[in-house]
Amino acid sequence: MKKLKYAALIATMCVALAGCNDKKSNDETTTKTDAVTESVSDKDTTEEKKTTEEKKTTEEKKTTEEKKTTEEKKTTEEKKTTEEKKTTEEKKTTEEKKTTEEKKTTEATTEAPTEAATEAPNYKATAQGYIGSSADALIGALGGNLVVVNACTDESAGYALIYYDDCTVQCEQATVDSPWIVTAVW
């Protein structure tokens, strides 16, 4: 019986010691589990950080590309607008030149008949002022050509005409060697 008591006592102590070791094991297991959990948590956090950083990088790239695209579009639109303005200005300038030339042509056309109308009476009036004078003096003042109608012979006088827009001038020559003299204007 004593042996049994001793055996029971030893068994109890073993159980108690085993329980103590279990407590230490549990503590170590808990610590190890916590460390593993922390490692897993650290890994998860690191992966989340990486994912977040990748998302941010991707978003930044997209934003940068969008900005570039927007700037390129703006630049292209500005170039088009500038080219359109230049083209429009060139067209306006060309049209203004044409209009100015047409006005000048119209003015020249309008002025030409007016000048001719004012010059026509002047030929006649000027020629009348030369009656009795030399035909050469009249031709020097108004221009024109002396057209001989009847040549002067020893027995007859010569006749010549000068034609202008609004009148005809008659000239006579007394002898072959004498000058032509303005005698009439009609």
Side-chain angles (χ1 to χ4, degrees):
M1 229 1 257
K2 265 185 169 183
K3 287 185 179 182
L4 237 203
K5 278 187 180 179
Y6 281 102
L9 183 62
I10 291 177
T12 309
M13 283 173 92
C14 282
V15 172
L17 284 176
C20 233
N21 282 339
D22 283 339
K23 193 173 187 183
K24 281 186 181 178
S25 282
N26 283 343
D27 284 48
E28 288 176 6
T29 306
T30 304
T31 305
K32 288 180 182 177
T33 306
D34 288 344
V36 170
T37 305
E38 286 178 7
S39 294
V40 171
S41 295
D42 287 344
K43 287 180 182 176
D44 289 344
T45 305
T46 304
E47 289 177 9
E48 287 176 7
K49 285 182 182 179
K50 286 181 182 177
T51 306
T52 304
E53 288 177 6
E54 289 174 1
K55 285 182 182 178
K56 285 182 181 178
T57 305
T58 305
E59 289 176 5
E60 288 175 1
K61 285 181 182 178
K62 286 181 182 178
T63 305
T64 304
E65 290 176 5
E66 289 175 0
K67 285 181 181 178
K68 286 181 182 178
T69 305
T70 304
E71 289 176 6
E72 290 174 359
K73 285 181 181 178
K74 285 181 181 179
T75 304
T76 304
E77 290 176 5
E78 289 174 2
K79 286 180 181 177
K80 285 181 182 178
T81 304
T82 304
E83 290 174 5
E84 290 174 0
K85 285 180 181 179
K86 286 181 181 178
T87 304
T88 304
E89 289 176 5
E90 290 173 359
K91 285 181 181 178
K92 285 182 181 179
T93 304
T94 305
E95 290 176 5
E96 288 174 2
K97 286 180 181 178
K98 286 181 181 177
T99 304
T100 303
E101 290 175 4
E102 289 175 1
K103 285 181 181 179
K104 286 180 180 179
T105 304
T106 304
E107 289 174 4
T109 306
T110 305
E111 291 175 5
T114 305
E115 290 175 10
T118 57
E119 288 179 16
N122 288 339
Y123 282 120
K124 190 172 186 175
T126 304
Q128 286 175 345
Y130 282 91
I131 293 178
S133 299
S134 165
D136 290 334
L138 177 65
I139 291 172
L142 298 177
N145 295 321
L146 187 68
V147 179
V148 177
V149 177
N150 185 15
C152 184
T153 62
D154 290 338
E155 299 172 7
S156 67
Y159 293 98
L161 299 172
I162 304 172
Y163 296 101
Y164 293 106
D165 289 338
D166 66 336
C167 66
T168 302
V169 177
Q170 177 183 329
C171 301
E172 290 183 23
Q173 186 179 31
T175 63
V176 177
D177 296 330
S178 64
W180 290 97
I181 305 295
V182 177
T183 56
V185 178
W186 69 88

